[in-house]
């Protein structure tokens, strides 16, 4: 009898333990990411050839406490290595685990290597050579909680590599993960018709066909770890292999289970067919190119087991939410009597099926933590997490309050925008507290930005509401889901930050009161145009005729464009970012504005003000609320520094000049008293600079007009 450890991904332990018990292994004990067991050599060979779940089988030859480098060396040295492998073989050491005296795995591997080499030398045998790649004999060591386990890699290369794959898709599913899905779904215990509508390169179906046809998953493997082990019994191994070949021949003939696979990608279907042919099961599987939303049940009952696309794999999140909802609707209407099992890393996506799971378990797809949900679709059942929608009721009724409000807003604002001569505007601004988002329309695209939810609201509730918003929007405002872009502020350790979920580069041209501006909807946090400053920009344009205009902290120069179109004598545009200065130049070119009267300056604005000796008739400044950029000499705080800033700017203002000052600090307080003492007249103009689409949010910005007293 020998002691072994079968390694597997986290979440496989229970299934793997049951598999080993069925094989006849004894002393089966689950551990973290694997299972210990005992077996005689013939059974160990059979397990290695037949296991569908293990990633690696190791033969344990030492296990004991280890608290120092000396103890680690002694543990490895006490093993009679010349009895296990020849010095003519190359060897390598895979060391797992750190802690205590072991800071890194290389240190642990080096200590064991030294002990192995010294044992050969002390036995008067020439030392074997180390090979880091493709070694003949592999030693596997694991250190955890002060215990060292030294073992021989009995199985060789990872057991999930069956040998039938030619190529894979963009996000391949490991073979043993597919097998675990089949086991945990209940399909393996009672095989029946199987359908995978997102089959990709065919892994789930091929693994199922191998099970149904009684084909050992290791039959096509060319190498095993025990081949260079000196106690390897070739005759016993050959008997195990021959028995497996005989079973495969009979099983393939007798298999009566039907398998169906489809995918929208024709190339992947081609790959799946080649993989199935390599595995010897192509004749059992019906592959076709098809959209998952168009497939029909191939039988009255059966299993639908699949690994659909999710955020880490493919697609825009809003499109995927729509896909999952429509899949749930299709399953409910057409797959009564079927079992459905789906693997997904995103709980919000799989929740969008709006189906109640019988079971939910955790599995890992590589390093990615996933949920594996199992559903029973009862014949003529309408069971859902939410009430079933009557025929003719649109998908927006998932979040009826939100859908009705934004539908009403969109209808009203569309007519208003046409009269105003604009095509980018806000259509929803947290009108309903439960749906705490802003929705901005840019031509035929929308950007959804989630406000930070109060800490009292559970994160799961916040995410579910956002999912419902994304599901409801397309139908509510008549927009294609792939033209929805989400930007959300996530709760994270440390400072919160925006996470961009859509990596497409998307540039548009928007029109505003006759001016044209270039937008980038996905490349940056902001789009290149602050919509709430629309009326402020128009005001600058209206005041610019025949005047010398200065635009500081200019961003993409949109106010400068309005000034130039308004007939300014000259326009000076200043910003610290070269990217934004280039963008501003592009906006001028877009509007046919060129000439020496238009100056663009890339500079620290605070330093530029101190150095400036010119005078201007109109100054517009919209500084950041706070900045500590490395390119600035000092930090800037608009509340703390606004008096000094404005006093410096008024000095650049001609006697009849005007200064328009705006900022977005919510609780900003203008120090009117101090400025008045400096002979500066200050007038608040919020009432004429707040656009209609921002009326719900009157504190989005505050705007002031300053002149000489």
């Amino acid at each position: 009898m020998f002691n072994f450890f079968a390694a597997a991904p986290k979440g496989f332990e229970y299934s793997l333990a049951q598999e080993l018990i069925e094989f006849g292994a004894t002393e089966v004990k689950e551990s973290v990411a694997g299972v210990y067991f005992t077996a005689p050599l013939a059974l160990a060979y059979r397990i290695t050839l037949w296991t569908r779940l293990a990633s690696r089988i190791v033969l344990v030859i030492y296990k004991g406490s280890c608290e120092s480098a000396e103890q680690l060396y002694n543990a490895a040295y006490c093993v009679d290595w010349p009895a296990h492998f020849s010095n003519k073989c190359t060897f390598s050491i895979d060391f797992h685990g750190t802690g205590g005296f072991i800071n890194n795995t290389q240190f642990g591997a080096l200590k064991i290597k030294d002990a192995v080499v010294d044992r050969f030398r002390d036995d008067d045998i020439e030392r074997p050579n180390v090979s880091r790649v493709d070694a003949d004999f592999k030693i596997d060591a694991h250190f955890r909680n002060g215990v060292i386990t030294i073992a021989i890699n009995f199985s060789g290369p990872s057991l999930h590599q069956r040998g039938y794959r030619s190529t894979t898709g963009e996000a391949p599913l490991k073979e043993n993960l597919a097998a675990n899905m089949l086991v945990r779904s209940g399909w393996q215990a009672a095989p029946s018709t199987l359908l995978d509508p997102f089959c990709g390169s065919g892994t789930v179906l091929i693994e199922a066909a191998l099970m149904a046809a009684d084909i050992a998953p290791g039959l096509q493997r060319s190498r095993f770890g025990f081949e260079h082990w000196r106690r390897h019994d070739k005759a016993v191994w050959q008997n195990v292999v021959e028995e497996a070949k005989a079973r495969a021949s009979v099983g393939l003939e007798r298999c009566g289970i039907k398998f169906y696979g489809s995918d929208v990608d024709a190339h992947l279907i081609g790959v799946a067919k080649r993989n199935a042919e390599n595995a010897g099961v192509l004749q059992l599987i019906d592959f076709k190119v098809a959209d998952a939303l168009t497939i029909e049940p191939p039988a009255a009952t059966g299993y639908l087991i699949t690994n659909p696309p999710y955020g880490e794999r493919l697609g825009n999140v809003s499109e995927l939410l729509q896909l999952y909802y429509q899949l749930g609707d299709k399953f409910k209407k057409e797959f009564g009597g079927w079992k459905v099992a789906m693997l997904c890393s995103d709980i919000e996506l799989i929740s969008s099926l709006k189906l109640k799971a019988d079971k939910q378990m955790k599995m890992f797809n590589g390093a990615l933590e996933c949920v594996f949900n199992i559903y029973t679709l009862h014949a003529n059942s309408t069971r859902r997490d939410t009430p079933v929608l009557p025929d003719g009721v649109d998908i927006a009724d998932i979040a009826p309050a939100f859908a009705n409000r934004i539908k009403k807003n969109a209808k009203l604002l569309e007519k208003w925008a046409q009269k105003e001569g604009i095509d980018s505007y806000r259509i929803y601004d947290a009108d309903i507290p439960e749906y705490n988002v802003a929705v901005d329309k840019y031509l035929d695209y929308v950007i959804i930005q989630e406000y930070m939810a109060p800490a009292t609201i559970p994160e799961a509730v916040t995410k579910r509401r956002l999912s419902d918003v994304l599901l409801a929007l397309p139908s509510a405002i008549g927009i294609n889901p792939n033209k929805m872009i989400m930007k959300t502020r996530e709760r994270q350790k440390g400072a919160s930050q925006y996470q961009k979920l859509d990596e497409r580069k998307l540039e548009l041209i928007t029109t505003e009161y006759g001016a044209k501006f270039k937008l980038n909807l996905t490349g940056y946090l902001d789009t290149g145009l602050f919509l709430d400053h629309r009326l402020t920009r128009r005001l600058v344009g209206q005041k610019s005729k025949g005047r010398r205009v200065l635009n500081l902290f200019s961003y993409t120069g949109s106010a400068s464009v309005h000034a130039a179109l308004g007939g300014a004598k000259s326009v000076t545009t200043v910003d610290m970012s070269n990217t934004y200065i280039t963008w501003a130049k592009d906006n001028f070119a877009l509007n046919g504005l060129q000439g020496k009267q238009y100056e663009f300056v890339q500079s620290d604005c605070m330093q530029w003000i101190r150095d400036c000796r010119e005078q201007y008739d109109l100054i517009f400044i919209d500084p950041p609320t706070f900045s500590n950029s490395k390119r600035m000499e000092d930090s800037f705080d608009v509340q703390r520094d606004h008096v000094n800033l404005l006093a410096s700017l008024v000095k650049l203002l001609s006697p009849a000049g005007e200064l328009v000052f705006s900022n977005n600090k919510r609780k900003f307080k203008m120090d009117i008293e101090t400025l008045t003492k400096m002979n500066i007249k200050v007038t608040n103009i919020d009432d004429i600079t707040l656009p209609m689409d921002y009326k719900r949010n009157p504190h989005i910005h505050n705007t002031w007009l300053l002149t000489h007293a």
Side-chain angles (χ1 to χ4, degrees), residues 262 269 412 543 560 569 571 616:
S262 59
I269 290 297
L412 176 68
K543 289 179 173 291
S560 298
K569 183 178 180 180
V571 181
Y616 298 90

Side-chain angles (χ1 to χ4, degrees), residues 457-708:
I457 299 178
E459 189 173 4
V461 173
T462 301
K463 288 187 174 181
R464 179 65 61 83
R465 287 172 178 170
L466 182 59
S467 297
D468 285 349
V469 164
L470 294 172
L471 277 170
L473 263 175
S475 179
I477 61 174
I479 190 168
N480 191 318
N482 64 17
K483 291 191 173 183
M484 292 164 49
I485 298 158
M486 186 175 74
K487 296 179 181 179
T488 180
R489 191 179 290 275
E490 296 279 353
R491 288 177 185 162
Q492 297 180 354
K493 292 180 180 179
S496 295
Q497 60 185 17
Y498 274 94
Q499 180 184 0
K500 188 172 58 180
L501 299 185
D502 191 331
E503 298 294 336
R504 295 172 296 175
K505 184 178 181 181
L506 182 58
E507 293 185 348
L508 302 175
I509 304 299
T510 189
T511 302
E512 175 185 281
Y513 303 127
K516 295 179 180 179
F517 299 109
K518 182 179 80 171
L519 303 174
N520 188 333
L521 300 192
T522 58
Y524 301 90
L525 173 59
D526 295 303
T527 63
L529 192 68
F530 295 124
L531 300 181
D532 63 296
H533 276 306
R534 187 187 308 114
L535 294 182
T536 312
R537 289 189 290 269
R538 185 172 70 170
L539 180 66
V540 169
Q542 291 169 343
K543 289 179 173 291
S544 293
K545 188 171 181 63
R547 303 175 97 177
R548 296 164 295 176
V549 179
L550 170 64
N551 181 9
L552 287 161
F553 296 100
S554 65
Y555 189 37
T556 59
S558 52
S560 298
V561 169
H562 274 285
L565 292 174
K569 183 178 180 180
S570 67
V571 181
T572 301
T573 303
V574 185
D575 196 277
M576 188 164 57
S577 166
N578 190 52
T579 297
Y580 291 145
I581 288 294
T582 301
W583 199 329
K585 291 177 180 178
D586 291 343
N587 281 335
F588 266 66
L590 195 60
N591 288 275
L593 299 168
Q594 55 183 345
K596 294 181 180 180
Q597 71 271 36
Y598 305 131
E599 183 182 10
F600 300 90
V601 182
Q602 188 258 312
S603 176
D604 170 5
C605 291
M606 304 304 291
Q607 183 61 48
W608 187 91
I609 293 169
R610 289 192 288 269
D611 295 340
C612 181
R613 298 295 179 265
E614 301 292 327
Q615 279 207 323
Y616 298 90
D617 307 309
L618 178 63
I619 299 174
F620 173 63
I621 181 167
D622 178 26
T625 299
F626 178 82
S627 177
N628 60 352
S629 170
K630 294 179 181 178
R631 288 179 288 177
M632 294 177 64
E633 290 186 5
D634 302 302
S635 67
F636 175 81
D637 183 297
V638 72
Q639 184 63 68
R640 181 191 69 200
D641 300 324
H642 76 277
V643 170
N644 290 336
L645 171 63
L646 295 172
S648 299
L649 282 174
V650 168
K651 292 178 182 178
L652 307 182
L653 205 59
S654 64
E658 296 176 293
L659 190 157
V660 179
F661 167 60
S662 183
N663 70 76
N664 291 77
K665 185 174 178 62
R666 291 284 173 142
K667 296 182 180 180
F668 176 78
K669 292 184 178 180
M670 177 72 91
D671 191 347
I672 297 176
E673 183 179 351
T674 300
L675 290 168
T676 301
K677 290 177 182 178
M678 296 179 177
N679 292 320
I680 300 172
K681 182 180 178 182
V682 181
T683 306
N684 182 271
I685 55 172
D686 286 351
D687 57 332
I688 63 170
T689 60
L690 184 68
M692 179 177 143
D693 48 331
Y694 283 85
K695 291 294 184 184
R696 282 191 52 80
N697 194 355
H699 303 296
I700 187 71
H701 65 243
N702 52 87
T703 314
W704 309 80
L705 183 65
L706 286 74
T707 60
H708 293 288

